């Protein structure tokens, strides 16, 4: 295995990532205004922006899910026990001792085991909770699901808010980890340029060299 600089994030993935980040920040900002946690914008403006951002994000996620499964990129999110203990130890102990990150990206695994498990949990638990509660809440506001208006709307709002705080915690941890190990710029650069250093076997390098030479930068 040898390190090579190759494209690990395709253009769609980068657009998906940054548009998703912008819309999530918009949703958190407007959502907290709706819940009266700040008054930087008025209630009706917050509701309108929140609904628009949510529908845009939902459309992006539907398209991204289709892209993940049609390109095989979903495999990068499968959890694995390989190197899991070493990565977990690094984040609990080694990171505070200045140790090097024990995981090096490979062609088939661009996320470390802890990242893959976290992303999978966010995509299969937190996001569905926030989407289902949000869409039901929106439906109630349009007069649908009358039975929920009397007894369940408060519960829906609470579930939606709890899921929103879970997303906020994920965002804070995500940004915090970008400040550890390598510099912040080094962590962010691959999601801008698409290229990063990845371990390749001789067979993988030969395959890319012949079939997808545009992905190799070194």
């Amino acid at each position: 295995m040898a390190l090579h600089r190759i494209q690990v994030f395709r253009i769609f993935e980068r657009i998906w990532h940054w548009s998703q980040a912008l819309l999530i920040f918009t949703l958190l900002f407007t959502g907290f205004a709706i819940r009266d946690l700040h008054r930087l914008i008025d209630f009706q403006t917050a509701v309108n922006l929140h609904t628009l951002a949510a529908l845009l994000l939902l459309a992006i996620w539907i398209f991204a899910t289709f892209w993940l499964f049609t390109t095989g990129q979903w495999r990068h999110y499968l959890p694995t026990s390989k190197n899991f203990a070493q990565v977990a130890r690094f984040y609990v102990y080694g990171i505070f001792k200045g140790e090097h990150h024990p995981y090096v990206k490979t062609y088939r695994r661009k996320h470390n085991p802890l990242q893959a498990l976290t992303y999978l949990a966010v995509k299969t638990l937190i996001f569905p909770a926030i989407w289902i509660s949000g869409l039901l809440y929106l439906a109630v506001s349009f007069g649908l699901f009358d039975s929920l208006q009397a007894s369940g709307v408060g519960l829906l709002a609470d579930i939606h808010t709890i899921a929103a705080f879970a997303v906020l915690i994920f965002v804070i941890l995500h940004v915090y980890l970008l400040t550890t190990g390598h510099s912040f710029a080094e962590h962010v650069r691959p999601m801008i340029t698409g290229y990063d250093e990845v371990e390749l076997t001789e067979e993988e390098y030969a395959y890319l060299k012949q079939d997808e030479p545009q992905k190799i930068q070194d």
Side-chain angles (χ1 to χ4, degrees):
M1 302 273 276
L3 278 177
H4 295 278
R5 193 167 186 78
I6 67 167
Q7 185 187 56
V8 291
F9 297 113
R10 303 178 189 183
I11 182 66
F12 170 75
E13 211 168 0
R14 285 173 274 154
I15 293 173
W16 169 30
H17 178 272
W18 292 114
S19 59
Q20 180 176 243
L22 177 64
L23 290 170
I24 285 176
F25 278 117
T26 302
L27 287 166
L28 288 171
F29 178 75
T30 54
F32 290 146
I34 293 169
R35 297 291 286 186
D36 204 24
L37 295 178
H38 69 76
R39 296 182 178 177
L40 297 173
I41 56 175
D42 64 83
F43 179 80
Q44 193 55 52
T45 302
V47 170
N48 292 340
L49 285 175
H50 195 79
T51 304
L52 177 62
L55 293 176
L56 284 173
L57 188 55
L58 182 59
I60 289 172
W61 278 350
I62 290 172
F63 194 63
T65 301
F66 175 78
W67 178 82
L68 283 171
F69 282 99
T70 53
T71 60
Q73 291 292 308
W74 59 271
R75 294 185 180 87
H76 291 281
Y77 296 89
L78 288 178
T80 175
S81 59
K82 187 179 180 182
N83 297 319
F84 185 90
Q86 293 91 326
V87 173
R89 178 196 170 279
F90 170 76
Y91 285 119
V92 171
Y93 176 80
I95 196 170
F96 301 107
K97 296 292 183 181
E99 295 179 4
H100 291 292
H101 200 294
Y103 187 79
V104 178
K105 288 186 178 75
T106 67
Y107 184 60
R108 300 182 186 282
R109 300 288 304 192
K110 60 187 171 189
H111 301 309
N112 71 53
L114 204 54
Q115 274 181 307
L117 183 62
T118 302
Y119 292 153
L120 185 67
V122 169
K123 291 175 187 299
T124 58
L125 297 175
I126 298 176
F127 285 169
I130 206 163
W131 279 125
I132 293 170
S133 59
L135 288 173
L136 286 175
Y137 201 88
L138 186 63
V140 169
S141 71
F142 281 109
L144 304 174
F145 300 112
D146 290 342
S147 59
L148 285 174
Q149 292 192 29
S151 58
V153 71
L155 178 61
L156 281 178
D158 290 341
I159 292 173
H160 198 67
T161 302
I162 291 170
F165 273 106
V167 172
L168 177 61
I169 291 170
F170 167 75
V171 170
I172 291 172
L173 289 175
H174 186 64
V175 174
Y176 164 70
L177 289 175
L178 293 177
T179 67
T180 63
H182 298 299
S183 70
F184 183 82
E186 286 178 292
H187 281 302
V188 173
R189 189 176 298 119
M191 196 48 82
I192 296 174
T193 65
Y195 288 86
D196 200 3
E197 289 191 334
V198 172
E199 277 193 342
L200 297 178
T201 63
E202 290 183 5
E203 292 78 11
E204 289 169 342
Y205 184 75
Y207 162 76
L208 288 175
K209 195 80 174 175
Q210 178 174 335
D211 291 358
E212 299 182 273
Q214 74 281 3
K215 284 190 173 182
I216 301 175
Q217 200 174 55
D218 58 10

